[in-house]
Amino acid sequence: MNTTSTQSFKDHFLIAMPHLKDPNFADSVTYICEHNDQGAMGIVINRPTGLTLDEIFRQVGITPSHGNAHISDIICAGGPVELERGFVLHSPSESHWEATLQVAPGVQLTTSKDILLAIAQNEGPENALIALGYSGWDKGQLEQEILDNSWLVCKADPNILFNTPIGDRLNAAVAALGINRSMLSPVAGHA
C-alpha cells in the first residue's frame, strides 16, 4: 500500500486489526474526517458512551421536542482527544451550521451547538452520528501505524456510518473489503 504524504485517507474507515489492544481503538472503526501532511483526525463510530441524546440535550440546556426518527439515540466515544467536546457527523442539509467541515459529498462534520438545537427541534439533518471526543494523529503517525499493520483501510460507506446498527459497524466495514473478520489474524507481521 502506498502511504506517501500525497495519499489522503479522508472519507475512509480505519478498521482496527485484532492485535491492536489500545483500549481507545481495540475492535474499532474510525471515520477519517481530515488527513493531510500535518496529520489526521477521525471519529470512532462503533463505541457507545452509555450516554443518550436526551442526556446530552440536558447537559447543554436544550429542551427537545419529540420524534427524532433518523437520529441515533446512541452517543459514540469518538476518541481520546477532547472528550468533553461534541462532534456531529451528518448528511448534508439545506441548513448551514456555524462550524461545519465538508468531509465528502455525503458527509459533513459539525462542532457547533446550533446543530444540536436543530436536531432537538426536528430541524436537523436527516442522518447524524453524535460523538464525544475525537481521534488524532500527528504528522506521519497514521501512515506509520498502517505500515505497522495496526489498521485496515477502506473507502467509507455512508450507509455503514448512518444506517448500520452500532454493534454491526465493525463487521460491515470489514465485509466491505470482502474479508471475513474471523479470518483476520491476531498476530501482526509483514509478508
Side-chain angles (χ1 to χ4, degrees):
M1 172 181 284
N2 177 10
T3 58
T4 65
S5 61
T6 58
Q7 181 176 4
S8 175
F9 294 111
K10 182 177 181 176
D11 192 37
H12 282 73
F13 289 142
L14 291 183
I15 303 163
M17 290 293 287
H19 64 272
L20 184 60
K21 300 301 181 195
D22 180 325
N24 295 301
F25 298 107
D27 296 320
S28 70
V29 178
T30 304
Y31 178 75
I32 299 299
C33 302
E34 187 61 72
H35 183 217
N36 56 39
D37 60 359
Q38 298 301 306
M41 179 267 183
I43 304 291
V44 175
I45 65 165
N46 69 324
R47 177 127 328 123
T49 61
L51 293 172
T52 65
L53 187 55
D54 282 339
E55 289 173 292
I56 295 296
F57 288 152
R58 265 194 307 280
Q59 288 180 14
V60 296
I62 295 173
T63 302
S65 58
H66 296 287
N68 297 302
H70 296 288
I71 307 301
S72 174
D73 190 42
I74 297 170
I75 306 302
C76 288
V81 182
E82 294 189 39
L83 298 172
E84 70 289 343
R85 187 169 177 200
F87 297 84
V88 182
L89 285 168
H90 59 91
S91 54
S93 170
E94 291 183 16
S95 299
H96 298 282
W97 320 112
E98 290 178 25
T100 298
L101 169 70
Q102 180 75 37
V103 179
V107 182
Q108 296 178 339
L109 174 69
T110 299
T111 58
S112 52
K113 183 179 175 180
D114 57 343
I115 194 168
L116 289 178
L117 289 166
I119 290 170
Q121 300 308 314
N122 297 314
E123 298 170 359
E126 182 177 346
N127 297 296
L129 179 151
I130 301 169
L132 294 175
Y134 72 93
S135 304
W137 292 264
D138 290 331
K139 179 180 182 175
Q141 182 182 1
L142 178 58
E143 294 86 347
Q144 188 58 53
E145 289 180 12
I146 291 168
L147 288 172
D148 291 343
N149 294 322
S150 294
W151 304 100
L152 290 175
V153 180
C154 70
K155 182 76 174 137
D157 179 346
N159 188 51
I160 294 172
L161 191 60
F162 297 125
N163 301 319
T164 302
I166 194 167
D168 297 336
R169 290 178 183 157
L170 176 59
N171 286 333
V174 172
L177 287 168
I179 300 171
N180 181 331
R181 187 167 164 246
S182 67
M183 302 303 285
L184 293 176
S185 172
V187 179
H190 292 276

